[in-house]
Amino acid sequence: MLLTITTTARPATDLGFLLHKHPERVQEFGQSFGTATVFYPEAGDERCTVALMLEVDPIALVRSRGKSSPDFSLSQYVNDRPYAASSLLAVALADVFRTARSGRCKARPGLPGTPLPLELRLPALPCRGGPELAARLFEPLGWEVDAQALPLDEGFPEWGQSRYVRLTLRGTARLADALNHLYVLLPVLDDGKHYWIAPDEVDKLIRAGEGWLHGHPERGLITRRYLGRRWALARTALARLAELGDETEEELEPAVEEDAPAGETAADEAAAAEAEAQGDAPPREAQGDAPPPEAQGDAPPEEALKAKPLNVRRREAVLAKLAELGAVSVVDLGCGQGELVGALLARPRFARVSGMDVSSMALTIAARKLRLDRMPDSKRARLTLFQGALTYTDKRLSGYDAAVLMEVIEHVDPPRLAALEHVVFGHARPQHVLVTTPNIEHNVRYEFLTGLRHPDHRFEWTRAEFAAWATRVAGEYGYHVTFEPVGDDDPEVGPPTQMGVFTRDQRS
């Protein structure tokens, strides 16, 4: 089985630095089931290609499977494993390119973070779901997908297509991201693994999927197939990916499909303006906001409120607070894949909406989910997406009524928090800052949780620790802060999420 990776970024031979494999050498790596060979069919300044060829020893593969293998005895020796990319190739890739997958390069420290034009080719890949499934899995990650079904026998076209595809992926991405996409999705497409699936596979999935899997529209299918349809492991993995059940649905909703409350959509604005022009309604300034559903006797039942996922309740709490504060321009710092940005755009009261994230891949996915290419001009004029880091001053962060850090600060290393504080509260200085973060005291309510809620969390605070940090920051930068619970406020351990609302002191 064969995988080739080609780049045209100049100098293209930098691919050797990223992979830690010299273009002038042929290297072999022993595996329990065969031999992996890395070589470069071409290596020049303008174009460089690396090939990973895996030669499978069927006898060694049988011996590595153990006596409990359910395979029919003959099928253990006669199968497609030596020829078709599968979990075998994923395991070899993880071993051979371990350092590249982690995004480290001592010789060129800045190189792993640079997106490169890449082309990935797999001549034969078992795909239970056909070319359509390959597109569903790779296109949301920013890849241009060319998946061609292979015939059972070219000499007998009437026999139809096989379950194999010839897959080519083209796009611009970090090499580490591309390798992790393949590591996770190769066994998913094959819908099978050659080894026993133990509980530590959940940790492997979370690590390899960091930054892209939690927002993938097919994350439910990916998780189930990767974990061999072992439902207990899949439930644990989905809960961890969704930060402990923040999203109960297995398919994420596109960011722009969140409905705005009655009276806040663009259609409502247009209808109100037309009625005002015809004299059929009082001016909008005199109408005020419509009473909440509770005041109209239409309050949702408590059961429905509790059934709502935590991430939806968090987003609704932030939106309600921004409306209460009268914010018109809002920047979402660490916007991820655009869920809050889409909800803000759905409400015309927010005339200027921006999203900033350090991940270019997250911004690419956000643009796709927001349907930026098909967005009406009037809405597009209100939106700005840009890449940036919260630990560096940036003039693009200034001039907003409110800034939101929703589940962001816990991803920052504690020594870098001071820089974030200076950037947000000292340099950007919006009128209001909303900060939400997990309440670690509430973690005891998640029976399957060990450690922090997410593998990328650098810390999680108690209510007292969050209050101490927020009070200190507010005092240093001329703000005052109040605290509100998000989610069910447990009488013993508090809510799952805590929110600090900072308002700038006018005297500062």
Side-chain angles (χ1 to χ4, degrees):
M1 62 186 74
L2 183 68
L3 162 68
T4 61
I5 303 174
T6 301
T7 183
T8 54
R10 300 191 63 180
T13 49
D14 279 352
L15 188 62
F17 286 101
L18 286 170
L19 294 172
H20 297 262
K21 305 290 183 289
H22 199 286
E24 296 181 4
R25 295 177 56 193
V26 175
Q27 297 176 262
E28 292 187 349
F29 302 85
Q31 307 292 314
S32 63
F33 43 79
T35 303
T37 304
V38 177
F39 59 96
Y40 288 78
E42 56 181 339
D45 286 343
E46 296 186 357
R47 182 180 174 90
C48 185
T49 299
V50 64
L52 171 61
M53 183 176 68
L54 181 62
E55 295 179 277
V56 174
D57 181 350
I59 305 299
L61 180 60
V62 171
R63 291 171 178 168
S64 69
R65 290 181 65 87
K67 297 180 180 179
S68 61
S69 171
D71 285 353
F72 179 69
S73 58
L74 182 61
S75 71
Q76 297 184 64
Y77 298 91
V78 182
N79 53 52
D80 64 356
R81 292 309 193 190
Y83 316 107
S86 62
S87 63
L88 293 167
L89 184 62
V91 169
L93 178 150
D95 176 53
V96 173
F97 298 141
R98 182 184 299 110
T99 306
R101 282 183 59 222
S102 67
R104 292 182 285 114
C105 180
K106 290 183 179 180
R108 302 280 183 85
L111 195 57
T114 304
L116 304 174
L118 297 173
E119 181 179 273
L120 285 59
R121 289 181 178 270
L122 291 155
L125 172 66
C127 186
R128 300 179 189 273
E132 296 78 13
L133 179 61
R136 282 166 52 197
L137 296 187
F138 283 103
E139 284 183 350
L141 300 174
W143 294 104
E144 177 188 336
V145 180
D146 180 8
Q148 301 177 14
L150 299 176
L152 281 170
D153 191 316
E154 293 182 354
F156 299 91
E158 64 273 13
W159 288 3
Q161 305 296 338
S162 69
R163 68 183 184 92
Y164 303 95
V165 299
R166 180 184 297 112
L167 181 65
T168 302
L169 304 175
R170 299 182 182 88
T172 301
R174 297 191 317 141
L175 181 63
D177 293 333
L179 294 174
N180 283 316
H181 294 166
L182 290 176
Y183 174 73
V184 172
L185 296 180
L186 287 181
V188 169
L189 290 170
D190 188 17
D191 199 11
K193 286 191 173 182
H194 70 281
Y195 57 87
W196 175 255
I197 299 174
D200 65 347
E201 289 295 301
V202 174
D203 294 325
K204 294 179 184 179
L205 175 63
I206 298 298
R207 286 196 298 269
E210 182 178 348
W212 62 272
L213 181 54
H214 74 280
H216 198 292
E218 298 289 348
R219 70 172 179 178
L221 179 146
I222 293 171
T223 301
R224 291 192 298 272
R225 283 196 174 193
Y226 183 88
L227 296 171
R229 303 182 187 274
R230 295 187 61 185
W231 302 112
L233 296 182
R235 283 194 297 269
T236 300
L238 285 169
R240 288 178 61 182
L241 286 169
E243 293 204 0
L244 304 175
D246 284 0
E247 180 65 72
T248 57
E249 299 295 332
E250 293 176 358
E251 293 186 2
L252 292 180
E253 298 176 357
V256 294
E257 290 188 2
E258 179 170 333
D259 293 332
E264 292 193 13
T265 66
D268 293 328
E269 293 271 326
E274 182 179 356
E276 180 183 339
Q278 296 177 358
D280 296 333
R284 277 173 287 175
E285 310 84 64
Q287 293 177 24
D289 289 334
E294 293 83 355
Q296 302 175 25
D298 296 328
E302 186 177 352
E303 295 77 11
L305 184 63
K306 289 184 177 180
K308 192 174 294 185
L310 178 58
N311 72 327
V312 174
R313 297 174 70 175
R314 181 191 301 127
R315 191 160 61 244
E316 290 179 349
V318 168
L319 291 166
K321 180 55 64 175
L322 290 171
E324 178 185 326
L325 295 171
V328 174
S329 57
V330 181
V331 57
D332 182 11
L333 303 176
C335 65
Q337 298 177 10
E339 283 79 12
L340 178 60
V341 170
L344 290 166
L345 283 175
R347 294 155 172 80
R349 69 167 61 187
F350 299 110
R352 181 184 173 206
V353 177
S354 295
M356 185 193 83
D357 202 276
V358 71
S359 168
S360 60
M361 178 65 73
L363 292 172
T364 298
I365 296 174
R368 183 176 296 108
K369 291 177 67 176
L370 292 165
R371 301 186 179 96
L372 202 59
D373 57 336
R374 291 175 285 167
M375 186 176 290
D377 292 342
S378 58
K379 182 178 286 189
R380 181 68 183 86
R382 297 161 51 211
L383 172 65
T384 303
L385 295 175
F386 59 95
Q387 186 177 16
L390 283 171
T391 51
Y392 297 93
T393 56
D394 190 329
K395 63 182 181 181
R396 295 174 296 178
L397 300 179
S398 301
Y400 293 91
D401 296 335
V404 178
L405 294 101
M406 192 167 68
E407 308 299 286
V408 169
I409 60 171
E410 63 273 11
H411 294 270
V412 179
D413 289 316
R416 302 292 290 163
L417 275 177
L420 179 148
E421 296 163 10
H422 170 71
V423 169
V424 176
F425 296 94
H427 175 72
R429 292 190 64 74
Q431 181 64 32
H432 307 283
V433 180
L434 274 59
V435 179
T436 75
T437 191
N439 168 25
I440 195 172
E441 297 170 78
H442 197 90
N443 287 2
V444 297
R445 295 293 183 252
Y446 303 111
E447 59 183 2
F448 53 80
L449 176 64
T450 57
L452 302 182
R453 299 191 190 183
H454 192 280
D456 189 55
H457 284 185
R458 274 38 174 188
F459 61 86
E460 288 172 5
W461 281 332
T462 64
R463 287 167 290 175
E465 289 170 333
F466 179 54
W469 173 82
T471 302
R472 176 186 61 77
V473 171
E476 288 183 8
Y477 291 98
Y479 284 76
H480 65 266
V481 61
T482 59
F483 302 95
E484 297 186 10
V486 179
D488 298 329
D489 197 354
D490 189 294
E492 296 180 2
V493 297
T497 295
Q498 44 193 339
M499 179 166 66
V501 181
F502 297 79
T503 299
R504 195 173 68 213
D505 190 337
Q506 297 301 323
R507 298 171 297 175
S508 62

